[in-house]
Amino acid sequence: WGKAGTNQERTFLAVKPDGVQRGLIGDIIARFEKRGYKIVGLKMIWPTEEMAAAHYADLSKKPFFPGLVKFFSSGPIVCLCIEGKDVIKQGRQMLGETQPLASKPGSIRGDYSIDLGRNICHGSDSPESAAHELKMWFPEGVNDWNKAVDSWVYE
Ligand code: RTP
């Protein structure tokens, strides 16, 4: 389970504080469910500043880091582990670009966001970051389920 390159590849997705406050949790989850992906981990957490800083540790030298940490810890987020073929890459496509202006309509950011620092959701950008972020946000692990439906999604 969870191995990149298989039909059980897993990624970490978060509905950021702005997405939660704007009532977009259901829509974001529905997009992944409807596409055929499985929600195998799901919970709401209000991140501390320490958790936010750890999540964005690779950006710690950037001038916008303090504001990013403050924003990411400003309210509850929804943590999701989503499973399926190519979900890391496809998930990033469904999110859109980091910059909302560059995000196509039809993507989550292209449909719901305007400003870079309020871009609604996060998704892991590589197998390495997915493994790292899933360990950080789901230390208790996620659920293995429902392999029986796979033949209706994969040939
Ligand atoms: P995320 O990690 O949140 O999914 O976003 P990302 O991979 O698409 O982009 P990343 O480079 O990791 O940046 C993380 C978040 O920081 C904010 N940001 N602000 N002011 C700025 O120049 C700037 N650059 C990035 C964005 O909210 C971005 O999602």
Side-chain angles (χ1 to χ4, degrees), residues 15 17-28:
V15 183
D18 52 340
V20 173
Q21 298 297 329
R22 290 183 50 199
L24 298 173
I25 300 167
D27 180 289
I28 291 168

Side-chain angles (χ1 to χ4, degrees), residues 9-14 28 31-32 35 37 82-97 106-109 121-126:
E9 179 170 300
R10 286 173 177 169
T11 194
F12 174 69
L13 226 99
I28 291 168
R31 288 172 181 241
F32 283 88
R35 182 125 191 215
Y37 288 120
I82 301 184
E83 181 182 288
K85 187 179 185 181
D86 298 323
V87 70
I88 299 170
K89 269 201 183 137
Q90 300 271 27
R92 292 283 292 193
Q93 277 190 7
M94 289 167 71
L95 256 59
E97 302 297 323
S107 66
I108 295 166
R109 288 166 173 169
C121 49
H122 161 82
S124 306
D125 60 8
S126 66

Side-chain angles (χ1 to χ4, degrees), residues 16 56 59 64 68 92 98 109 116-117 119 122-123:
K16 297 185 187 183
Y56 283 120
L59 300 174
F64 58 84
L68 181 60
R92 292 283 292 193
T98 305
R109 288 166 173 169
L116 175 59
N119 61 6
H122 161 82

Side-chain angles (χ1 to χ4, degrees), residues 43-102:
K43 64 183 175 186
M44 184 176 266
I45 295 182
W46 190 325
T48 61
E49 288 201 14
E50 289 70 31
M51 291 162 95
H55 175 73
Y56 283 120
D58 55 326
L59 300 174
S60 62
K61 299 281 179 300
K62 303 277 186 190
F64 58 84
F65 182 72
L68 181 60
V69 167
K70 209 159 179 229
F71 168 67
F72 201 71
S73 56
S74 66
I77 64 167
V78 170
C79 300
L80 293 157
C81 177
I82 301 184
E83 181 182 288
K85 187 179 185 181
D86 298 323
V87 70
I88 299 170
K89 269 201 183 137
Q90 300 271 27
R92 292 283 292 193
Q93 277 190 7
M94 289 167 71
L95 256 59
E97 302 297 323
T98 305
Q99 178 59 260
L101 184 61

